[in-house]
Amino acid sequence: MDGNKLEVWYDGACPLCTREIALMRRLDRRGAIDFIDVSTPGGSCPIDRKALLERFHAREKGVMLSGAAAFAAMWRAVPLLRPLGLIARWKPVLALLERAYLRFLRIRPRLQGLFRERRA
C-alpha cells in the first residue's frame, strides 16, 4: 500500500454507501484513494469490523479518522472537492459536519431500506 494514498473503508452491502463510493471513484481520477469494502469477511480491517460498518472510516497519512473527519479527508484527496475538505479542517465546521453525520446515521437504516426497495 502506497503511504501517500488515502485508505477508505466502506460498507459494500449498503446501497447508499456503494452509490457514494461509485461517485467518489469517478471523481478520484488520480487514484489517490484506496477503497476497501468491509462488508464481507476476509478484507483488511485495521479496527473491529463492526466499528468499521457502523461509521465511515479513513486513514490519512497513518491517522485513523471516522465520521465527518473521514469524509473531509476523502474530499481533500479529490481535487474537485479539496476546498470542502480544507474548510472542514476548521474545528467549528468539522463539529457542524459531525453533528449532521450523526443525524444521518439515525435515519440511515430507513434510507437503506428505501434504496433496497427501489432496486428490487
Side-chain angles (χ1 to χ4, degrees):
M1 160 82 213
D2 180 349
N4 292 323
K5 277 189 139 183
L6 177 73
E7 294 172 282
V8 168
W9 289 269
Y10 71 98
D11 181 355
C14 166
L16 295 171
C17 303
T18 55
R19 288 179 76 134
E20 180 164 7
I21 294 303
L23 171 63
M24 294 308 296
R25 284 182 198 273
R26 285 192 303 274
L27 294 175
D28 181 27
R29 293 185 181 131
R30 298 178 305 138
I33 306 171
D34 258 346
F35 295 98
I36 304 157
D37 180 356
V38 293
S39 64
T40 58
S44 169
C45 292
I47 62 173
D48 178 65
R49 181 178 308 282
K50 184 176 185 275
L52 283 172
L53 291 169
E54 287 175 353
R55 283 179 60 91
F56 188 71
H57 287 80
R59 183 165 32 207
E60 182 180 43
K61 297 178 183 168
V63 177
M64 281 299 288
L65 305 166
S66 73
F71 277 101
M74 186 169 62
W75 299 337
R76 284 190 293 275
V78 174
L80 181 67
L81 301 175
R82 185 169 173 74
L84 295 173
L86 293 174
I87 291 168
R89 283 193 166 152
W90 191 39
K91 289 184 189 233
V93 172
L94 186 59
L96 186 72
L97 291 170
E98 182 64 22
R99 281 198 301 275
Y101 180 68
L102 291 173
R103 286 189 184 112
F104 163 76
L105 287 178
R106 285 192 294 236
I107 64 168
R108 180 182 173 206
R110 283 179 279 176
L111 292 173
Q112 287 173 317
L114 289 173
F115 272 83
R116 284 190 180 105
E117 287 174 13
R118 289 179 70 193
R119 287 171 59 186

